[in-house]
Amino acid sequence: MNKGLITNFSKNAPVRQVVDDTKNNISGDPLFGRWLHFEDRSGVIRSGVWEANKSVFLDVMDGIVEFCQIIEGEVTIKSLDDGTVQTMKVGDAFVMENGSRMEWTVDNYVKKTFVIVRIAENRD
């Protein structure tokens, strides 16, 4: 997938994949769109673009840390750990820590860029 040292998201975009997340869906459309632009050879780092239509779903950072930036629409994210609620809009960037448990509410549509880093099991 990675053909050089720099991956330009604006050129040679990969084909949109449809991801069925029915198992985490609370309501609305359980199908998400994803364009995976980069995955390193070891599978530790992935990066791309993701979108969701009107829906409410659960998201758990299980063994991963994810950086996101909203590029279209907005989403309200509720932490299931401490109850805080934040609305993320175009231009907002945020990190979801390993172990975080969240409920995402997409009132209409949201699109984000993402970088996901898989966390090593043992860090002795």
Side-chain angles (χ1 to χ4, degrees), residues 21 23-24 32 46 50 57-68 77-81 94-104 112 114-121:
D21 197 27
K23 67 181 172 77
N24 293 315
F32 304 135
R46 292 181 294 159
W50 174 94
F57 58 92
L58 300 176
D59 196 10
V60 178
M61 299 292 105
D62 186 14
I64 61 173
V65 172
E66 182 174 354
F67 167 84
C68 305
I77 303 172
K78 177 182 178 181
S79 169
L80 298 177
D81 300 309
F94 55 100
V95 173
M96 296 177 288
E97 295 182 37
N98 182 34
S100 299
R101 299 175 311 123
M102 296 147 289
E103 180 180 284
W104 286 53
K112 68 178 183 175
F114 67 87
V115 177
I116 296 173
V117 179
R118 183 153 306 283
I119 304 298
E121 294 294 324

